Amino acid sequence: ESITALRTEFARAVTLFIRALRPGAPFAAAFMRNSTGYDVNKRHFPAVAVTEAEVKDQLSDLGCHADVAVIPSVAPLREGYDGMILARGRTGEVRS
């Protein structure tokens, strides 16, 4: 989610990540929940604000079997960030 502000580019990146794996391969991926981007040294880095439901839906649409969990932020790092989303699972047996 922290590579672009465009939801379509984010979806494509996740798709390409999963398709780079062999059918049935294990994977783990982390996403910043509801991140709106961040600034470093006055430079803005974009992000797509994603939720655990969106991550789970996209992985499911790609044929993955994944557990998706939220790791809440006890002390928020910054405004517009709710914690981490951790997705662990396996790719589908057949890739399209």
Side-chain angles (χ1 to χ4, degrees), residues 12-79:
R12 180 164 165 71
V14 172
T15 298
L16 292 174
F17 166 69
I18 294 299
R19 288 188 177 164
L21 303 173
R22 292 177 188 236
F27 68 87
F31 307 88
M32 295 179 80
R33 186 174 189 269
N34 287 323
S35 177
T36 57
Y38 55 95
D39 297 312
V40 175
N41 206 20
K42 298 183 182 180
R43 182 174 176 195
H44 184 72
F45 291 85
V48 174
V50 296
T51 66
E52 58 277 15
E54 291 170 309
V55 170
K56 188 170 186 77
D57 288 347
Q58 183 166 2
L59 292 172
S60 179
D61 289 348
L62 293 168
C64 297
H65 307 284
D67 292 319
V68 177
V70 174
I71 302 167
S73 180
V74 177
L77 296 175
R78 64 180 183 283
E79 189 175 322

